[in-house]
Amino acid sequence: MGLFALVGDSSAVYDPPNSRMLVITPAGETGGVLGTLGLPIGEPARLSGVHQPAATDGSGNFYAQSAAGVEDGGTTRHGPLLRWNTSDPDPDTVALLPLPEQGRVISAPGAMVARLPMPLFQPRAVWAVARDGRVAIVFPEPYHVEIVHPDGTRRRGTAIPVEPLKLTDEHKTEWRREVARTQLRVVVARGGGSAYRTISEDEVAEPPGWEPFLPPFLSDAAGFAGDGRLWVRRTTPPDRAATYDVFDANARLVEVVVLPPNRRLAGFGADAVYLVRRDDFDLEYLERWILR
């Protein structure tokens, strides 16, 4: 499920099982339903292999990256980054982004073909959309930012040197802890009825493998602040506060922001950032910090 800003003060909640978006008015009431790819309910979608809508801009456009790979003549597969709106649901291709590896394929004579899962924390490009329609694409190797403007012009920033960050046991422990916080298990009583409980770290299923080094950033690392600048969260040692590289409209690194300890970034306002603080009892508190 995702929450998206629409034109004006309305919002939309995406409902994946029904492939629709529920419009929420500024008064907190429902204001209609939009179909898949912005089409009215009942009309068939004319595009396949698309993830759920992942972003919007201030002009009413929706954005998603297609999982349908496009070969580039080499070994890298690319997925189109698509843009569409309710008045013209035929999507435009904003850019082609490299898709992450889907797993190594193995086969033997007389045996079934199998695809092995890939290790966790693979480097992959991420993207974000500004309210004015600019699209930022952040590449890990080499680490740099490209800005695609609404008229199609592109600005490529210079490569930023990255010191390899070794994956440690502390990183793995933190990953297990976060997974345990977000997963529930059904407990069925002997006399009937059921309840939910969170799982313990020991119950978290191990990934198929671990990369020896962390990439410069992980998925969902990029977002635009209210002032139009791009924030990219960097990977850091587990005991270090969350650190963000900040880029201007020309994809240039202009600032590094370190959040207060024990906080994570939840979102941006017109002139503020919203942080979540978690206490020793796993209670979370939403904070508003003014940007100056």
Side-chain angles (χ1 to χ4, degrees):
M1 183 175 290
L3 179 64
F4 305 99
L6 300 179
V7 176
D9 293 331
S10 295
S11 303
V13 177
Y14 183 66
D15 176 13
N18 296 301
S19 297
R20 64 182 183 180
M21 287 172 282
L22 180 65
V23 178
I24 307 299
T25 69
E29 301 173 348
T30 57
V33 177
L34 300 176
T36 303
L37 290 179
L39 294 171
I41 293 295
E43 288 193 22
R46 283 171 277 175
L47 190 67
S48 62
V50 178
H51 294 305
Q52 73 176 53
T56 57
D57 64 22
S59 298
N61 295 310
F62 291 87
Y63 296 77
Q65 184 177 359
S66 173
V70 177
E71 301 295 338
D72 64 352
T75 59
T76 303
R77 295 172 64 252
H78 289 74
L81 175 58
L82 303 171
R83 173 179 57 212
W84 73 95
N85 58 54
T86 54
S87 62
D88 182 12
D90 289 321
D92 298 323
T93 297
V94 178
L96 293 176
L97 303 183
L99 293 173
E101 293 289 340
Q102 299 300 310
R104 183 164 54 89
V105 176
I106 59 172
S107 62
M112 262 177 33
V113 174
R115 187 176 291 275
L116 297 179
M118 297 301 290
L120 197 64
F121 299 144
Q122 278 193 31
R124 63 177 300 177
V126 300
W127 55 277
V129 180
R131 293 298 290 169
D132 61 7
R134 285 178 296 125
V135 177
I137 307 171
V138 190
F139 294 90
E141 296 175 341
Y143 174 39
H144 71 283
V145 173
E146 292 188 17
I147 303 290
V148 183
H149 291 262
D151 62 1
T153 59
R154 301 173 73 103
R155 297 286 186 271
R156 177 189 172 105
T158 58
I160 300 170
V162 174
E163 182 177 347
L165 179 62
K166 187 175 181 179
L167 182 71
T168 65
D169 289 339
E170 287 76 14
H171 285 116
K172 298 177 184 179
T173 299
E174 181 62 24
W175 176 82
R176 295 186 189 99
R177 184 178 299 120
E178 290 303 316
V179 171
R181 285 193 179 106
T182 59
Q183 290 189 359
L184 297 175
R185 175 159 295 179
V186 179
V187 180
V188 180
R190 180 173 299 178
S194 61
Y196 292 91
R197 68 169 177 84
T198 57
I199 66 174
S200 66
E201 294 178 32
D202 294 336
E203 295 176 292
V204 174
E206 286 292 296
W210 302 90
E211 293 285 352
F213 293 92
L214 287 169
F217 53 86
L218 302 178
S219 60
D220 298 327
F224 278 96
D227 60 4
R229 300 195 300 175
L230 177 73
W231 287 41
V232 178
R233 180 171 181 174
R234 296 292 304 273
T235 50
T236 59
D239 59 351
R240 188 173 301 175
T243 301
Y244 286 80
D245 289 341
V246 181
F247 298 84
D248 66 10
N250 292 312
R252 296 177 300 191
L253 178 63
V254 294
E255 189 176 357
V256 175
V257 175
V258 179
L259 299 188
N262 196 33
R263 266 112 171 149
R264 74 174 189 272
L265 180 63
F268 297 97
D271 59 353
V273 294
Y274 292 86
L275 307 182
V276 173
R277 176 177 62 86
R278 181 183 293 152
D279 65 16
D280 295 337
F281 299 98
D282 256 5
L283 297 176
E284 295 187 336
Y285 304 85
L286 184 63
E287 303 174 338
R288 182 171 182 263
W289 292 67
I290 302 298
L291 292 175
R292 303 188 186 279

XYZ file of all heavy atoms in Angstrom, residues 80-139:
461
model
N 12.105 0.428 -18.201
C 11.665 1.805 -18.427
C 11.072 2.426 -17.166
O 10.295 1.788 -16.460
C 10.603 1.667 -19.524
C 10.822 0.319 -20.122
C 11.375 -0.538 -19.024
N 11.438 3.668 -16.897
C 10.789 4.467 -15.871
C 9.660 5.220 -16.555
O 9.904 6.030 -17.455
C 11.786 5.434 -15.227
C 11.226 6.420 -14.204
C 10.544 5.687 -13.061
C 12.327 7.330 -13.670
N 8.410 4.956 -16.147
C 7.234 5.411 -16.877
C 6.516 6.537 -16.144
O 6.519 6.603 -14.922
C 6.266 4.239 -17.074
C 6.861 3.024 -17.794
C 5.903 1.859 -17.742
C 7.211 3.374 -19.235
N 5.883 7.402 -16.959
C 5.099 8.523 -16.416
C 3.763 8.573 -17.157
O 3.713 8.452 -18.374
C 5.862 9.835 -16.622
C 5.081 11.090 -16.253
C 5.944 12.337 -16.472
N 6.404 12.406 -17.847
C 7.585 12.937 -18.210
N 8.398 13.440 -17.312
N 7.933 12.962 -19.485
N 2.658 8.744 -16.411
C 1.343 8.854 -17.014
C 0.447 9.682 -16.110
O 0.802 9.994 -14.982
C 0.734 7.469 -17.256
C 0.279 6.776 -16.013
C -0.977 6.758 -15.475
C 1.080 6.000 -15.114
N -1.009 6.026 -14.312
C 0.241 5.540 -14.065
C 2.422 5.634 -15.097
C 0.709 4.764 -13.018
C 2.889 4.853 -14.052
C 2.037 4.423 -13.030
N -0.729 10.080 -16.622
C -1.703 10.806 -15.800
C -3.112 10.376 -16.185
O -3.309 9.621 -17.138
C -1.526 12.330 -15.905
C -1.647 12.817 -17.337
O -2.622 12.539 -18.016
N -0.632 13.549 -17.798
N -4.086 10.857 -15.432
C -5.464 10.402 -15.641
C -6.074 10.918 -16.934
O -6.976 10.301 -17.483
C -6.348 10.835 -14.459
O -6.221 12.248 -14.274
C -5.928 10.126 -13.188
N -5.599 12.058 -17.442
C -6.153 12.593 -18.684
C -5.567 11.914 -19.912
O -6.197 11.881 -20.970
C -5.911 14.107 -18.757
O -4.524 14.390 -18.759
N -4.354 11.364 -19.778
C -3.713 10.667 -20.888
C -2.951 9.479 -20.315
O -1.774 9.583 -19.992
C -2.766 11.600 -21.644
C -2.117 10.919 -22.846
O -2.568 9.813 -23.209
O -1.159 11.479 -23.404
N -3.632 8.349 -20.164
C -3.022 7.223 -19.451
C -1.937 6.484 -20.228
O -1.293 5.599 -19.679
C -4.217 6.300 -19.181
C -5.189 6.617 -20.275
C -5.029 8.079 -20.545
N -1.723 6.809 -21.521
C -0.636 6.166 -22.245
C 0.691 6.645 -21.666
O 0.994 7.850 -21.691
C -0.703 6.509 -23.731
C -1.884 5.828 -24.411
O -2.159 4.663 -24.065
O -2.518 6.463 -25.270
N 1.525 5.751 -21.155
C 2.734 6.177 -20.442
C 3.843 6.644 -21.369
O 3.981 6.169 -22.498
C 3.149 4.913 -19.683
C 2.617 3.795 -20.522
C 1.336 4.294 -21.120
N 4.600 7.609 -20.882
C 5.832 8.046 -21.532
C 7.013 7.407 -20.810
O 6.972 7.158 -19.606
C 5.987 9.575 -21.452
C 4.866 10.306 -22.170
O 4.424 9.813 -23.228
O 4.434 11.351 -21.663
N 8.087 7.163 -21.537
C 9.311 6.649 -20.943
C 10.208 7.818 -20.575
O 10.642 8.573 -21.449
C 10.044 5.704 -21.899
O 9.218 4.564 -22.158
C 11.360 5.218 -21.295
N 10.464 7.994 -19.277
C 11.321 9.080 -18.803
C 12.791 8.703 -18.948
O 13.627 9.514 -19.344
C 10.999 9.411 -17.335
C 11.917 10.511 -16.815
C 9.543 9.805 -17.177
N 13.119 7.457 -18.627
C 14.503 6.996 -18.675
C 14.505 5.480 -18.643
O 13.492 4.837 -18.335
C 15.310 7.561 -17.503
N 15.644 4.891 -18.981
C 15.859 3.456 -18.839
C 16.826 3.242 -17.685
O 17.924 3.809 -17.670
C 16.424 2.856 -20.122
C 15.506 2.841 -21.346
C 16.250 2.291 -22.560
C 14.268 1.993 -21.072
N 16.423 2.426 -16.722
C 17.235 2.190 -15.536
C 17.712 0.746 -15.516
O 16.949 -0.165 -15.845
C 16.433 2.461 -14.268
C 15.819 3.851 -14.124
C 15.134 3.974 -12.774
C 16.874 4.923 -14.275
N 18.964 0.518 -15.124
C 19.434 -0.865 -15.019
C 18.665 -1.624 -13.960
O 18.452 -1.128 -12.851
C 20.921 -0.711 -14.650
C 21.032 0.671 -14.071
C 20.006 1.498 -14.772
N 18.231 -2.819 -14.307
C 17.493 -3.659 -13.370
C 18.472 -4.501 -12.557
O 19.523 -4.910 -13.064
C 16.531 -4.588 -14.124
C 15.367 -3.915 -14.846
C 14.619 -4.942 -15.688
C 14.416 -3.252 -13.868
N 18.147 -4.793 -11.296
C 19.029 -5.653 -10.499
C 19.028 -7.064 -11.042
O 18.083 -7.502 -11.710
C 18.401 -5.590 -9.095
C 16.975 -5.261 -9.343
C 16.955 -4.365 -10.550
N 20.101 -7.778 -10.771
C 20.190 -9.172 -11.189
C 19.067 -9.972 -10.535
O 18.761 -9.793 -9.363
C 21.540 -9.754 -10.797
C 22.723 -9.142 -11.554
C 22.759 -9.563 -13.011
O 22.128 -10.591 -13.337
O 23.397 -8.879 -13.823
N 18.481 -10.874 -11.312
C 17.392 -11.695 -10.803
C 17.865 -13.016 -10.220
O 17.090 -13.790 -9.700
C 16.387 -11.976 -11.934
C 15.761 -10.727 -12.498
C 14.996 -9.947 -11.456
O 14.168 -10.519 -10.744
N 15.246 -8.666 -11.340
N 19.135 -13.275 -10.304
C 19.653 -14.535 -9.785
C 20.413 -15.288 -10.850
O 20.129 -15.173 -12.044
N 21.372 -16.053 -10.454
C 22.192 -16.809 -11.387
C 21.444 -18.061 -11.812
O 20.901 -18.806 -11.002
C 23.527 -17.171 -10.719
C 24.490 -17.911 -11.628
C 25.888 -17.874 -11.019
N 25.886 -18.377 -9.661
C 26.061 -19.674 -9.351
N 26.241 -20.568 -10.307
N 26.072 -20.070 -8.087
N 21.419 -18.325 -13.127
C 20.714 -19.480 -13.669
C 21.672 -20.660 -13.742
O 22.800 -20.530 -14.214
C 20.146 -19.175 -15.066
C 19.506 -20.426 -15.668
C 19.142 -18.039 -14.989
N 21.229 -21.818 -13.240
C 22.034 -23.026 -13.321
C 21.226 -24.113 -14.009
O 20.002 -24.150 -13.929
C 22.477 -23.525 -11.925
C 21.254 -23.807 -11.036
C 23.381 -22.514 -11.246
C 21.600 -24.467 -9.727
N 21.901 -24.977 -14.745
C 21.229 -26.077 -15.418
C 22.229 -27.197 -15.641
O 23.447 -26.984 -15.595
C 20.626 -25.621 -16.752
O 21.652 -25.168 -17.622
N 21.707 -28.375 -15.884
C 22.530 -29.544 -16.177
C 21.756 -30.429 -17.126
O 20.520 -30.363 -17.187
C 22.869 -30.299 -14.875
N 22.462 -31.260 -17.917
C 21.754 -32.142 -18.857
C 20.714 -32.996 -18.138
O 21.006 -33.651 -17.144
C 22.883 -33.001 -19.442
C 24.114 -32.154 -19.295
C 23.917 -31.387 -18.021
N 19.485 -32.952 -18.644
C 18.421 -33.744 -18.065
C 17.842 -33.189 -16.788
O 17.003 -33.834 -16.153
N 18.287 -31.991 -16.389
C 17.799 -31.401 -15.137
C 16.996 -30.152 -15.438
O 17.116 -29.543 -16.497
C 18.963 -31.069 -14.209
N 16.164 -29.764 -14.472
C 15.385 -28.550 -14.613
C 16.281 -27.334 -14.464
O 17.246 -27.347 -13.718
C 14.290 -28.495 -13.540
C 12.953 -28.956 -14.090
S 11.644 -29.017 -12.881
C 11.983 -27.737 -11.814
N 15.966 -26.266 -15.195
C 16.692 -25.009 -15.045
C 16.244 -24.351 -13.744
O 15.055 -24.299 -13.441
C 16.432 -24.076 -16.237
C 17.078 -22.714 -16.009
C 16.951 -24.705 -17.518
N 17.186 -23.859 -12.977
C 16.867 -23.213 -11.697
C 17.533 -21.856 -11.642
O 18.571 -21.626 -12.275
C 17.332 -24.075 -10.527
N 16.939 -20.957 -10.909
C 17.493 -19.619 -10.731
C 17.819 -19.435 -9.255
O 16.949 -19.501 -8.402
C 16.508 -18.547 -11.192
C 17.085 -17.139 -11.194
C 16.089 -16.144 -11.747
N 15.857 -16.310 -13.163
C 16.630 -15.768 -14.112
N 17.682 -15.072 -13.760
N 16.343 -15.948 -15.376
N 19.100 -19.207 -8.972
C 19.532 -19.040 -7.594
C 19.265 -17.618 -7.128
O 19.515 -16.663 -7.880
C 21.030 -19.344 -7.464
C 21.465 -20.779 -7.804
C 22.972 -20.895 -7.642
C 20.755 -21.787 -6.935
N 18.762 -17.418 -5.911
C 18.582 -16.061 -5.383
C 19.924 -15.347 -5.290
O 20.973 -15.971 -5.132
C 17.976 -16.293 -4.000
C 17.446 -17.682 -4.033
C 18.336 -18.447 -4.965
N 19.867 -14.026 -5.389
C 21.088 -13.227 -5.321
C 21.327 -12.756 -3.890
O 20.404 -12.637 -3.099
C 20.973 -12.021 -6.255
C 20.850 -12.412 -7.724
S 22.238 -13.396 -8.332
C 23.538 -12.172 -8.321
N 22.583 -12.498 -3.538
C 22.899 -12.023 -2.180
C 22.197 -10.707 -1.866
O 21.824 -9.936 -2.763
C 24.424 -11.856 -2.219
C 24.883 -12.736 -3.326
C 23.779 -12.701 -4.353
N 22.043 -10.447 -0.570
C 21.398 -9.227 -0.107
C 22.327 -8.025 -0.290
O 23.543 -8.171 -0.323
C 21.035 -9.387 1.362
C 20.018 -8.433 1.964
C 18.658 -8.617 1.314
C 19.906 -8.672 3.466
N 21.733 -6.830 -0.399
C 22.464 -5.555 -0.470
C 23.248 -5.409 -1.768
O 24.373 -4.915 -1.776
C 23.404 -5.378 0.730
C 22.707 -5.361 2.056
C 23.293 -5.920 3.165
C 21.452 -4.797 2.192
C 22.659 -5.915 4.397
C 20.799 -4.776 3.405
C 21.407 -5.342 4.520
N 22.675 -5.832 -2.870
C 23.315 -5.596 -4.162
C 23.208 -4.119 -4.533
O 22.204 -3.474 -4.247
C 22.633 -6.414 -5.249
C 23.084 -7.845 -5.334
C 22.590 -8.478 -6.620
O 22.435 -7.814 -7.627
N 22.338 -9.756 -6.565
N 24.228 -3.574 -5.200
C 24.119 -2.198 -5.699
C 23.023 -2.106 -6.767
O 22.921 -2.976 -7.625
C 25.502 -1.936 -6.309
C 26.396 -2.978 -5.728
C 25.536 -4.173 -5.467
N 22.211 -1.062 -6.686
C 21.189 -0.840 -7.703
C 20.850 0.639 -7.755
O 20.965 1.358 -6.752
C 19.931 -1.661 -7.409
C 19.222 -1.324 -6.126
C 17.946 -2.125 -5.956
N 17.010 -1.879 -7.042
C 15.836 -2.505 -7.173
N 15.473 -3.426 -6.302
N 15.034 -2.221 -8.178
N 20.434 1.106 -8.928
C 20.043 2.505 -9.089
C 18.695 2.748 -8.412
O 17.826 1.874 -8.402
C 19.962 2.859 -10.563
N 18.532 3.936 -7.833
C 17.256 4.345 -7.246
C 16.849 5.669 -7.871
O 17.668 6.362 -8.494
C 17.343 4.469 -5.708
C 17.729 3.142 -5.083
C 18.343 5.549 -5.306
N 15.581 6.042 -7.710
C 15.099 7.277 -8.324
C 14.069 7.939 -7.420
O 13.512 7.327 -6.526
C 14.499 7.008 -9.707
C 13.414 5.972 -9.736
C 13.571 4.612 -9.799
C 11.998 6.196 -9.706
N 12.343 3.989 -9.793
C 11.373 4.927 -9.753
C 11.217 7.350 -9.642
C 9.978 4.791 -9.738
C 9.828 7.214 -9.631
C 9.233 5.950 -9.682
N 13.844 9.235 -7.676
C 12.875 10.020 -6.915
C 12.331 11.114 -7.823
O 12.973 11.502 -8.810
C 13.516 10.633 -5.668
N 11.135 11.628 -7.488
C 10.454 12.633 -8.304
C 10.175 13.869 -7.469
O 9.656 13.769 -6.347
C 9.128 12.077 -8.880
C 8.434 13.133 -9.727
C 9.391 10.821 -9.707
N 10.507 15.039 -8.013
C 10.225 16.314 -7.354
C 8.834 16.795 -7.745
O 8.253 16.347 -8.742
C 11.272 17.350 -7.737
N 8.281 17.728 -6.981
C 6.944 18.246 -7.270
C 6.886 18.962 -8.612
O 5.840 19.014 -9.249
C 6.498 19.206 -6.154
C 6.259 18.543 -4.818
C 5.139 17.516 -4.871
N 3.810 18.118 -5.049
C 2.722 17.422 -5.334
N 2.792 16.111 -5.495
N 1.555 18.020 -5.451
N 8.026 19.530 -9.072
C 8.024 20.219 -10.356
C 8.254 19.274 -11.533
O 8.386 19.724 -12.673
C 9.079 21.335 -10.376
C 10.503 20.822 -10.178
O 10.710 19.585 -10.163
O 11.412 21.657 -10.021
N 8.296 17.968 -11.283
C 8.428 16.999 -12.362
C 9.848 16.562 -12.668
O 10.050 15.704 -13.537
N 10.832 17.103 -11.967
C 12.204 16.625 -12.166
C 12.336 15.214 -11.607
O 11.784 14.909 -10.557
C 13.207 17.548 -11.484
C 13.445 18.860 -12.205
C 14.404 19.753 -11.444
N 13.833 20.151 -10.160
C 14.424 19.955 -8.987
N 15.603 19.352 -8.918
N 13.835 20.354 -7.864
N 13.076 14.390 -12.312
C 13.331 13.017 -11.864
C 14.822 12.870 -11.611
O 15.646 13.182 -12.477
C 12.872 11.986 -12.913
C 13.226 10.564 -12.462
C 11.373 12.106 -13.160
N 15.155 12.429 -10.421
C 16.558 12.186 -10.068
C 16.819 10.682 -10.106
O 16.027 9.892 -9.584
C 16.866 12.732 -8.682
N 17.916 10.302 -10.740
C 18.350 8.911 -10.777
C 19.721 8.852 -10.121
O 20.631 9.590 -10.500
C 18.426 8.380 -12.217
C 17.101 8.616 -12.944
C 18.774 6.891 -12.218
C 17.159 8.329 -14.426
N 19.847 7.991 -9.129
C 21.091 7.871 -8.369
C 21.729 6.533 -8.727
O 21.120 5.478 -8.537
C 20.853 7.970 -6.859
C 22.171 8.085 -6.110
C 19.941 9.155 -6.531
N 22.944 6.586 -9.249
C 23.646 5.384 -9.679
C 24.730 5.031 -8.655
O 25.409 5.921 -8.136
C 24.293 5.603 -11.049
C 23.300 5.797 -12.171
C 22.854 7.071 -12.506
C 22.808 4.715 -12.883
C 21.945 7.259 -13.532
C 21.892 4.890 -13.905
C 21.456 6.159 -14.238
